[in-house]
Amino acid sequence: MPRSVYYSIGLLAAGVIAFELILIQIFSITQWYHFAYMVISVAMLGFGTAGTLLTFFERWFLSRYNAVFPILLFLTGISMAIVVWLSGFPIFQFDTFLIFTDSKELFRLILTYLLFFIPFFLAALAIGLTFDRFVYKIGKLYFADLVGSGLGAILGLLLMWYFFPNELPGLVALLPILAGFISWKKSWTNNWIKIQASVALVLVALIILKSPPLQVSEFKSIRKSLLLPKAKIEKEQNSPFGLVQVVSSPALRYAPGLSLNYQEIVPVRKGVFNNGDWIGPLVSLSDVDSSNILDYTTTALAYNLGSPDNVLILNAGTGEHVAYALEKGVGSVTYTESNSVLLSLLRNDLAVETDSLFYHPNLIAHEVGARTLIYSDSNHYDLIILPTISSFGGSAGLNALQEQYILTLEAFQQMWQRLTPNGMICVTSWMDYPLRNPLKLLATLVESIEANGNGHSSRHIVGIRSWGTITFLLKRSEFGAEEIDRVNAFCDHYFFDPVLLGDEDMDFRDEYNQLQDTLFMDYLHAILSPSRKAFYQSYDFNIRPASDHSPYFSRFFRIKNLRKISDAFGLQAFPFLEIGYLIVLLTFIQIAIIAMLLILLPLFKLGFQGLDRWRILGYFGGIGLGYMFVEIVLIQQFILYFGNPIYAT
C-alpha cells in the first residue's frame, strides 16, 4: 500500500469534518440554530448508507479500487462545492416557518436532507472502501483518519475567521480534490480519471471565485430590516461566533416597550445582527436621545429604586445598557460579551459612531460567556442586568433547543451570590401570547430565591409591565414600603402597570396597558403559591424553570397538549407558537425513515446469520449508540463553557 493512501484518507477526513462545521454555521445563518444537530445526523446517515452499499457490492468495488478511489475523492470535492449553491434553488429552498402551512416545504426539507447527504456518502464510501481494501493496515489508516478529522476541525475554525460562509464550501472542497490527485499515480492512465479531475478543479474554482450568496430565511430579523427604505449592509465580519452584520436605514428605529408618554422622536440608529438575528442598536455616549430613551422603558425601574455604584451587564451585545449605566453615573460598569468579533468592531471600526463607548475609563470588559464570568468572578454588584428575553411578538419557539445557560435555575442562584446585601437582578422579557416567557421567568426567580434559603419569595420580587415588555427586579434583601411607593410613582409617571409589589396583595391592574388574557395575575399568584407545581402540571405549556442539565429555557412545548393547542389556535398557528421543538421531531422522524430505507431494509436481503449474531449486534450497536449519545451530550455541555455551538462541536 502506497504511503499516499494515508495522506489521501487524512485529507478527506479533514475535509469532511471541516465541511460539517461549515454546514452548522451556514444553517445557523440561513435557517435557525437547531439545524446544527441535523447536520450531524445527515453526516451519520451518509456513513451508514455507504456501509450498506459496500456490504452488497464489496467485490465489485475492490476489483476496481485503483480507479474508483480517486473518482470518489473528486466527486466528494465536487459535491461539497455545489450542494450549498444548489440548496438555494427553489426546489430545495425550504423555510422553517412555512412547513405547517405548505406541504411543499416538507418535501423540500426532505430533498435538502438528501442533497447534503451526498458529500458525506461519497466520502464515507471512499474511506470504507480503503479500510476494506487494506484491512491489514487498519490501525494506521484509522490513525490517519482521526488525525485528519482533528486537523479538519481546527482548519474549519480558522477558515471561518478569514472567509465568509458562502466562500467556505469551495475552499474545503479543495481537500478531497487534493487527496484525489495524490491517491494513485498509476490511475492517471485512465482518461475518465483525468476528466473527473479537470471537472472538479474547474467547478471548485468557479465556486470559489463566484461564491453564490446564501438564501436567508425571509423570517430572519435581518431580512425584515433590509426591506426598510434605503436599507443596506454597511459592515460584515465572519467568525466561528457567527456572521456579524451592521445595517443602516433612515427608517431603522429601535425602542423596546417604550412608554406611551414618550413625546420625543425615536432616534434613527444602525442595527447589528449575528447570523441574521437581532443583537441590538448602535449607541453613542454623545447622543443623548440614544441613551436616555431607556428612561422610558420598564428597565429604568432598577435605577429609580437606588443609585447603583457597581453594575454587571451580562451579554452586553452592542452596549445599549452599558451606555445607559454610564449616563446614570455608575462608578464601575462590568460587562461580558463572548463574541470577540462584535467587540472588536465596536472598539475599532465602529468606535467613531459609538463615541469610543467601549474605551470609557469606568468600563471593565470580559470577553467570556456570562456563566463563565459568574463562575470565576468574586466581586459583588449592586445591580446585575440580563439581556431582554425573547423578541417582539414572541420567538415562536425557534430557540427551543438552544442552550441558554444564563437563564437556568443554577445561573440565578449564582447571580444571587454575587449581589451586595441590597443588590438587585434586573431581567426584562417581551410579553407573548399565549403567555410563556414571563411565567417561566417568574418561576425561575421564585425557585432560585427558595433554593438560596429565603422562604418568602414574593417579598424579594417586584414586577412592572408596559404594552410590550415586563421587567422583574429580584432583590437580595426584602423590598421596603418606601421602595414600593417609588415603584407605584414610577408606573404612574410612565404609564406602566405594576404586577408584583413585594408582599403586597395585588388585584389585576391594567390601567394603562390592557391585556387580552385577563388571567395573567392569576397565573403569577399561582407561581408564587406553595402549590405552583400543580400549576406547572396543568398549564398548557412547559413553564418549569430550566436547569443546567436541561438548559432549554425557550422549550415550552408539551406533546400531550398537542391536540388541545391545535384545536385552540389551529395547526397553521404552530409556526408562531412552538415550531422549534416540532421541527426537531420532524427531523428525527424523517431521517429515521430515510435511514430505515437506505441502511436497514437492504440488509434484510442478506439475512442475519451466525451463532454470535446477537452478540455482534449488541457490541457494534452499543458502540454506535454510546458514541452518538456522548457526542451530542458533550456538545450541549461544552456550550456552557464556550458559549458557542461551533467551538463545542
Coordinates of all heavy atoms in Angstrom, one line a residue, residues 385-428:
I385 N -27.7 43.1 35.3 CA -28.7 43.3 34.2 C -28.5 42.2 33.2 O -27.4 42.0 32.6 CB -28.6 44.7 33.5 CG1 -28.9 45.8 34.5 CG2 -29.5 44.8 32.3 CD1 -28.7 47.2 34.0
L386 N -29.6 41.5 32.9 CA -29.6 40.4 31.9 C -30.1 40.9 30.5 O -30.9 41.9 30.5 CB -30.4 39.2 32.3 CG -29.8 38.2 33.3 CD1 -29.6 38.8 34.7 CD2 -30.5 36.9 33.4
P387 N -29.8 40.3 29.4 CA -30.4 40.8 28.1 C -31.9 40.5 28.1 O -32.4 39.6 28.8 CB -29.6 39.9 27.1 CG -29.1 38.7 27.9 CD -28.9 39.2 29.3
T388 N -32.6 41.2 27.3 CA -34.0 41.0 27.1 C -34.3 39.6 26.5 O -33.7 39.2 25.6 CB -34.6 42.1 26.2 OG1 -34.3 43.4 26.8 CG2 -36.1 42.0 26.1
I389 N -35.3 39.0 27.1 CA -35.7 37.6 26.7 C -36.7 37.7 25.6 O -37.6 38.5 25.6 CB -36.3 36.9 27.9 CG1 -35.2 36.7 29.0 CG2 -36.8 35.5 27.5 CD1 -35.7 36.1 30.3
S390 N -36.6 36.8 24.7 CA -37.5 36.6 23.5 C -37.4 37.9 22.6 O -36.4 38.6 22.6 CB -38.9 36.4 24.0 OG -39.8 36.1 22.9
S391 N -38.4 38.1 21.8 CA -38.4 39.2 20.9 C -39.8 39.7 20.7 O -40.8 39.1 21.2 CB -37.8 38.7 19.5 OG -38.6 37.6 19.0
F392 N -39.9 40.8 20.0 CA -41.3 41.4 19.8 C -42.2 40.5 19.1 O -41.8 39.9 18.1 CB -41.1 42.7 19.0 CG -42.4 43.3 18.7 CD1 -43.3 43.8 19.6 CD2 -42.9 43.4 17.3 CE1 -44.5 44.4 19.3 CE2 -44.1 43.9 17.0 CZ -44.9 44.5 18.0
G393 N -43.4 40.2 19.7 CA -44.3 39.3 19.1 C -44.0 37.8 19.5 O -44.8 37.0 19.1
G394 N -43.0 37.6 20.2 CA -42.6 36.2 20.6 C -41.6 35.6 19.6 O -41.5 36.0 18.5
S395 N -40.9 34.6 20.1 CA -39.8 34.0 19.3 C -40.3 32.7 18.6 O -39.5 32.0 18.0 CB -38.6 33.7 20.2 OG -39.0 32.8 21.2
A396 N -41.6 32.3 18.8 CA -42.2 31.2 18.1 C -41.4 29.9 18.5 O -41.5 28.9 17.7 CB -42.2 31.4 16.6
G397 N -40.8 29.9 19.6 CA -40.1 28.6 20.0 C -39.0 28.2 19.1 O -38.5 27.1 19.1
L398 N -38.4 29.2 18.3 CA -37.3 28.8 17.4 C -36.1 28.5 18.2 O -35.2 27.9 17.6 CB -37.1 30.0 16.4 CG -38.1 30.1 15.3 CD1 -38.0 31.4 14.6 CD2 -37.9 28.9 14.3
N399 N -36.0 29.0 19.4 CA -34.8 28.7 20.2 C -35.1 27.6 21.2 O -34.5 27.5 22.2 CB -34.4 30.0 21.0 CG -34.0 31.1 20.1 OD1 -33.4 30.8 19.1 ND2 -34.3 32.3 20.5
A400 N -36.1 26.7 20.9 CA -36.5 25.7 21.8 C -35.3 24.7 22.2 O -35.3 24.3 23.3 CB -37.6 24.8 21.1
L401 N -34.4 24.5 21.3 CA -33.3 23.6 21.6 C -32.0 24.4 21.7 O -30.9 23.8 21.5 CB -33.2 22.5 20.5 CG -34.3 21.4 20.7 CD1 -33.9 20.2 19.8 CD2 -34.5 21.0 22.1
Q402 N -32.1 25.7 21.9 CA -30.8 26.4 22.1 C -30.5 26.5 23.6 O -31.3 26.9 24.4 CB -31.0 27.9 21.5 CG -29.7 28.7 21.7 CD -29.8 30.0 21.0 OE1 -30.7 30.3 20.2 NE2 -28.9 30.9 21.2
E403 N -29.3 26.1 23.9 CA -28.9 26.1 25.3 C -28.7 27.6 25.8 O -28.0 28.3 25.2 CB -27.5 25.4 25.4 CG -27.6 23.9 25.1 CD -27.5 23.6 23.6 OE1 -27.4 24.5 22.8 OE2 -27.4 22.4 23.3
Q404 N -29.5 27.9 26.8 CA -29.4 29.3 27.4 C -29.0 29.1 28.8 O -29.9 29.2 29.8 CB -30.8 29.9 27.2 CG -31.2 30.2 25.8 CD -32.6 30.7 25.6 OE1 -33.5 29.9 25.8 NE2 -32.7 31.9 25.3
Y405 N -27.7 29.0 29.1 CA -27.2 28.7 30.4 C -27.3 29.9 31.3 O -27.2 29.8 32.6 CB -25.8 28.2 30.4 CG -25.6 26.8 29.9 CD1 -25.2 26.5 28.6 CD2 -25.9 25.8 30.8 CE1 -25.1 25.2 28.2 CE2 -25.7 24.4 30.4 CZ -25.4 24.1 29.2 OH -25.2 22.8 28.8
I406 N -27.6 31.1 30.8 CA -27.7 32.3 31.6 C -29.1 32.3 32.3 O -29.3 33.1 33.2 CB -27.4 33.5 30.8 CG1 -27.2 34.7 31.7 CG2 -28.5 33.8 29.8 CD1 -26.8 36.0 30.9
L407 N -30.0 31.5 31.8 CA -31.4 31.6 32.3 C -31.8 30.3 33.0 O -33.0 30.0 33.2 CB -32.4 31.8 31.1 CG -32.2 33.1 30.3 CD1 -33.2 33.1 29.1 CD2 -32.4 34.3 31.2
T408 N -30.8 29.6 33.5 CA -31.2 28.4 34.3 C -31.3 28.7 35.7 O -30.9 29.8 36.2 CB -30.1 27.3 34.1 OG1 -28.9 27.8 34.6 CG2 -29.9 27.0 32.6
L409 N -31.9 27.8 36.5 CA -32.1 27.9 37.9 C -30.7 28.1 38.6 O -30.5 29.0 39.5 CB -32.8 26.7 38.5 CG -33.4 26.8 39.9 CD1 -34.4 27.9 39.9 CD2 -34.0 25.5 40.2
E410 N -29.7 27.3 38.2 CA -28.4 27.4 38.8 C -27.7 28.8 38.5 O -27.0 29.3 39.4 CB -27.5 26.3 38.3 CG -27.9 24.9 38.7 CD -28.9 24.3 37.8 OE1 -29.5 25.0 37.0 OE2 -29.2 23.1 37.9
A411 N -28.0 29.3 37.3 CA -27.4 30.6 37.0 C -27.9 31.7 37.9 O -27.2 32.6 38.4 CB -27.7 31.0 35.5
F412 N -29.2 31.7 38.2 CA -29.8 32.8 39.1 C -29.3 32.6 40.5 O -29.1 33.5 41.2 CB -31.3 32.8 39.0 CG -31.8 33.5 37.8 CD1 -32.2 32.9 36.6 CD2 -32.0 34.9 37.8 CE1 -32.6 33.5 35.5 CE2 -32.5 35.6 36.7 CZ -32.8 34.9 35.6
Q413 N -29.1 31.3 40.9 CA -28.6 31.1 42.2 C -27.2 31.6 42.4 O -26.8 32.2 43.4 CB -28.6 29.6 42.5 CG -30.0 29.0 42.7 CD -30.0 27.5 42.8 OE1 -28.9 26.9 43.1 NE2 -31.1 26.8 42.5
Q414 N -26.4 31.5 41.3 CA -25.0 32.0 41.4 C -25.0 33.5 41.3 O -24.2 34.2 42.0 CB -24.2 31.4 40.2 CG -23.9 29.9 40.4 CD -23.4 29.3 39.2 OE1 -23.3 29.9 38.1 NE2 -23.0 28.0 39.3
M415 N -25.9 34.1 40.5 CA -26.0 35.6 40.4 C -26.4 36.1 41.8 O -26.0 37.2 42.2 CB -27.0 36.0 39.4 CG -26.5 35.9 37.9 SD -27.6 36.6 36.7 CE -28.5 35.1 36.3
W416 N -27.3 35.4 42.5 CA -27.7 35.8 43.8 C -26.5 36.0 44.8 O -26.5 36.9 45.6 CB -28.7 34.8 44.4 CG -29.2 35.0 45.8 CD1 -28.6 34.7 46.9 CD2 -30.4 35.7 46.2 NE1 -29.3 35.0 48.0 CE2 -30.5 35.6 47.6 CE3 -31.5 36.2 45.5 CZ2 -31.5 36.1 48.3 CZ3 -32.6 36.7 46.2 CH2 -32.6 36.7 47.6
Q417 N -25.6 35.1 44.6 CA -24.4 35.1 45.5 C -23.5 36.2 45.1 O -22.6 36.6 45.9 CB -23.7 33.7 45.4 CG -24.5 32.5 45.8 CD -25.0 32.6 47.2 OE1 -24.3 33.2 48.1 NE2 -26.2 32.1 47.5
R418 N -23.6 36.8 44.0 CA -22.8 37.9 43.5 C -23.4 39.3 43.8 O -22.8 40.3 43.4 CB -22.5 37.8 42.0 CG -21.8 36.5 41.6 CD -20.3 36.6 41.6 NE -19.7 36.8 42.9 CZ -19.5 35.8 43.8 NH1 -19.8 34.6 43.5 NH2 -18.9 36.1 44.9
L419 N -24.5 39.3 44.5 CA -25.2 40.6 44.8 C -24.6 41.1 46.2 O -24.3 40.3 47.1 CB -26.7 40.4 44.9 CG -27.4 40.1 43.6 CD1 -28.9 39.8 43.9 CD2 -27.3 41.2 42.6
T420 N -24.6 42.4 46.3 CA -24.4 43.1 47.6 C -25.6 42.9 48.4 O -26.7 42.5 47.9 CB -24.1 44.6 47.4 OG1 -25.2 45.2 46.7 CG2 -22.8 44.8 46.6
P421 N -25.6 43.2 49.7 CA -26.8 43.0 50.6 C -28.1 43.6 50.0 O -29.2 43.1 50.2 CB -26.4 43.6 51.9 CG -24.9 43.5 52.0 CD -24.5 43.6 50.5
N422 N -28.0 44.8 49.4 CA -29.2 45.4 48.8 C -29.2 45.3 47.3 O -29.9 46.1 46.6 CB -29.3 46.9 49.2 CG -29.7 47.0 50.7 OD1 -30.6 46.3 51.2 ND2 -28.9 47.8 51.4
G423 N -28.3 44.4 46.7 CA -28.2 44.3 45.3 C -29.4 43.7 44.6 O -30.2 43.0 45.2
M424 N -29.6 44.0 43.3 CA -30.8 43.5 42.6 C -30.3 42.9 41.2 O -29.3 43.3 40.6 CB -31.7 44.7 42.3 CG -32.4 45.3 43.5 SD -33.6 46.6 43.1 CE -32.5 47.9 42.5
I425 N -31.2 42.0 40.8 CA -31.0 41.4 39.4 C -32.2 42.0 38.6 O -33.4 41.9 39.0 CB -31.1 39.9 39.4 CG1 -29.9 39.3 40.2 CG2 -31.1 39.3 38.0 CD1 -30.0 37.8 40.5
C426 N -31.9 42.5 37.4 CA -33.0 43.1 36.6 C -33.0 42.3 35.3 O -32.0 42.1 34.6 CB -32.6 44.6 36.2 SG -33.8 45.3 35.1
V427 N -34.2 41.8 35.0 CA -34.4 41.0 33.8 C -35.7 41.3 33.2 O -36.8 41.4 33.8 CB -34.3 39.5 34.1 CG1 -35.3 39.0 35.1 CG2 -34.5 38.6 32.8
T428 N -35.7 41.6 31.9 CA -36.9 42.0 31.1 C -37.2 41.0 30.0 O -36.3 40.4 29.4 CB -36.6 43.4 30.4 OG1 -36.4 44.3 31.4 CG2 -37.8 43.8 29.6

